[in-house]
Amino acid sequence: GAVSASFPTRYHDVSDFRPVPDNQEAWTDASADESVIVEIVERVERDPMTGDGPSDEEGAAAWFWRDLADVNDASVSSGASELVGVTKLAREDDVPVGVRASTSITNSTEDVDARNDVSVSVARGTQRVAKGRDGDDARNDVFVVLACVRLPRVASDVLVTLNRPLAIAAGSQTTPQTGSGAVADAAAVKTVAEETLRGILSSLAIEDWGLFG
């Protein structure tokens, strides 16, 4: 494919059992109801009049995290979600190697400039989300870690989102696979989730920049 990444062996490709949009890769560990989605989206610019949109000063991932909470009917303003932190990664150390130096990119000045413009931020927090058709009484507490890789020269953003439940409601459709209740050590689960996302992010490679036109 045009974009590749390495995933832990416990994950299974969601496209093996249901359709996945062309601009996404989705993987899951059903035993924990954990999922990772890699998505390419058209670059979203900040509106200078309203201030709405991603802020590179804050870290663009924060805006996408809050937008995802809204999509999940769990907006921050409603109290159903809490964004607890945003990290902007240093280019030389933490920008995904495959994005920064893919072998499929030629050594032309334009391509080198495109790589140097890459920026990455990571947002993390908890969202109270109902699964599928579940009602409000079956909302799960989900730790959501979202990385945003900004590619301004091709007017695109790559989003990598990991969802890991911390508490499963008794009425959730997930319960038959995971059981209900809270995880034993939420802090450890969050640490593993973030390390997992960082591992996926470090392996992210854009194999075909022609994908962006």
Side-chain angles (χ1 to χ4, degrees):
V3 179
S4 65
S6 297
F7 296 86
T9 55
R10 61 189 174 88
Y11 282 140
H12 297 281
D13 189 341
V14 172
S15 67
D16 288 342
F17 47 88
R18 67 172 173 81
V20 173
D22 291 341
N23 67 324
Q24 290 184 0
E25 295 283 344
W27 296 73
T28 185
D29 175 0
S31 66
D33 195 35
E34 182 176 315
S35 64
V36 174
I37 298 173
V38 180
E39 182 177 13
I40 300 171
V41 298
E42 184 176 350
R43 182 179 172 90
V44 179
E45 299 289 355
R46 190 171 183 83
D47 188 321
M49 299 297 292
T50 66
D52 185 40
S55 164
D56 290 326
E57 181 177 350
E58 177 187 24
W63 184 86
F64 285 102
W65 195 98
R66 288 189 287 261
D67 184 63
L68 178 61
D70 290 343
V71 171
N72 286 335
D73 191 27
S75 66
V76 172
S77 61
S78 73
S81 293
E82 182 183 10
L83 176 63
V84 298
V86 184
T87 304
K88 293 189 289 185
L89 303 187
R91 177 188 302 158
E92 292 304 316
D93 296 329
D94 296 307
V95 171
V97 173
V99 173
R100 188 155 44 89
S102 173
T103 55
S104 66
I105 304 176
T106 68
N107 290 323
S108 72
T109 301
E110 182 178 355
D111 287 329
V112 171
D113 287 345
R115 287 179 298 183
N116 290 339
D117 279 348
V118 172
S119 63
V120 183
S121 55
V122 179
R124 63 194 66 79
T126 305
Q127 300 183 10
R128 299 199 69 237
V129 182
K131 182 106 172 179
R133 297 179 180 274
D134 288 345
D136 285 346
D137 59 343
R139 286 179 178 264
N140 302 323
D141 292 339
V142 182
F143 183 59
V144 179
V145 193
L146 185 151
C148 175
V149 181
R150 308 220 81 186
L151 305 173
R153 292 301 180 94
V154 289
S156 299
D157 295 314
V158 179
L159 307 179
V160 184
T161 307
L162 187 149
N163 304 282
R164 176 59 161 93
L166 300 177
I168 302 291
S172 172
Q173 62 182 266
T174 302
T175 301
Q177 288 76 41
T178 63
S180 61
V183 297
D185 189 341
V189 168
K190 291 177 182 179
T191 297
V192 171
E194 192 144 359
E195 289 175 348
T196 299
L197 180 128
R198 289 292 190 101
I200 294 169
L201 195 61
S202 68
S203 70
L204 185 67
I206 295 176
E207 307 292 353
D208 180 10
W209 286 80
L211 169 74
F212 302 98

